Amino acid sequence: MKWFLSLLCIAVSLSSVFGQKLPSKKMAEELLRPQQIVQKALPARLAVPPAIRGAARTAGYAVQSVKKEGNATSSEGRPVLSPEASAYLERLAARRAADAKSAPALTPLQEVEKNIRQSLVEIVGRATGELMGSGFVVRSGSGTLYAVASYHVVGHAGNALAVRMYDAEGNPVFYPCVLVSASGSYGINAPDAAIIALPARAARHAKPLKVAYGLPASNATLVTWGIPYAVGRAIRVGDLRVQHAESFKIVMHSQQEANHLRGLCGSPVLNEEGKVAGIFSGHKEGEDLFFAVNARKALDWLISNYESRRQATLTFKLHGRTIFTLQAGETIGKVRHLDELGRPLAEVYVPRYDGAFDLEHLEGLFPDIKPADRLDFEIVKHRFVDRVISVEIL
C-alpha cells in the first residue's frame, strides 16, 4: 500500500511540471534571432538653394544638400536644416540684403580712415627709438614712396633718423632712413616740410595717401591723424574749421585742447574726400588756432626738386617783382615795416601770425604801407636768423 501511494505522488508531480506551456518552435526562433535596427525612410528634401546656404553660413549653421535615393536620404554625416529653419534663414538673408541697400555708404574720408594706420608713420630717433613726430606716406608720379614729416621736427637734409610703420596685422616695421629733402622751418608762410625716401619693400604694407590739388575753402571741416607724445598711439582730431588758407598757409580753429596734441606735427590734414590738404605744423599757444602747410605746394616743390636733382629754391615776388629767393632750409621770420626815413612803424612775426599773408598782397599785413616805405625780411635758417633782406616799396 505504501509503495502504491509513493508511485501515485510521483505521477502527480510529473504531470504538473509537463503541464506548463512551453514556447513554440516558431516563438523560440524569434527569441533567438539577432535583433535588427530598422530605419524608417526619411522624407526626401531638395538641394538647399545658394541664397539659403549663404544665410546659413552667416548665422553659423551647417547646411548640406541631400540627395534623393529612393525613399532614403543621405546627409553625408552633416546636419541638415529643417524646412522651417531654411525658410527663416531665407527671410533673414533677404532682410540683411535690404538693410545693406538702405544703409548709407561710407564717405571717401571714412574709406581712407578704415586703413589709416598703414598710411601713417612715426618719426623716431635712429639710435634711441624715441618718438620725434608724426608723418604720412605719399607716392610720387615716378612711383617712389616717401614719408612726409615737418622740417622743424627732423631738421635739414642728410639727417639720419628712422621711420616706424605698421602692417595690416598691426606689427611695427622699422626703416632706418636718411632725410633726402627738406625746406623751411616752423612758419606759416614757409614749406615747413621734409621728405624721406622709403625702400621699395615698404609698398607691401604701406597705403599712400592722395594729395589734394587746391586749398580748402573757408569754414571747411578738416581732420588730422597723428601720434601725440602723451598718447603714444594714433588718434583722430576732428572738427578743424578753416579760418583762411592762402599761399603756403592754412589756419584752422577748433575747441580741441592743444596741450595733449604735441607730437602731431607732420600729420596729414585730410579734407572730406580723404585727401591731404595740409601738413600739420603746430598751434598757437593759449588760443584755439592750429596751423598747417599747403601740402600740394610744399610736396610738389620738394619732390620735383629732389627727383630732378635740382637745388630746392623758392622765389618770392612782390606785385610781380622778384624780391628774393629762399634756399632749402630757409624761411621768413620777422617782417618789419619802416618809413622812408628808416623809422620802424610795425612788425610781424610771420611764424605765429594768424592773419592772411601773401607777399603778393602785403596790404593785408601792413595796411598803411605806401611808396618809398621799406620792408625788412629776416631770413631764418635752421631756426636762426641768417640774413636780413630790405625791399623798397615802389
Side-chain angles (χ1 to χ4, degrees), residues 2 10 15 19 35 37 80 84 87 95 104 120 143 148 153 209-210 224 238 263 297 323 333 359 367:
K2 291 180 178 181
I10 294 172
S15 64
Q35 292 186 351
I37 299 174
V80 180
E84 294 79 9
R95 186 165 64 249
L120 303 180
V148 180
V153 171
L209 295 174
K210 295 181 179 179
T224 187
K297 194 168 184 177
I323 54 175
L359 286 181

Side-chain angles (χ1 to χ4, degrees), residues 357-375:
F357 173 49
D358 188 337
L359 286 181
E360 289 287 350
H361 307 92
L362 282 179
E363 294 83 358
L365 186 62
F366 302 108
D368 298 329
I369 199 168
K370 59 184 182 299
D373 287 353
R374 194 179 82 214
L375 294 177

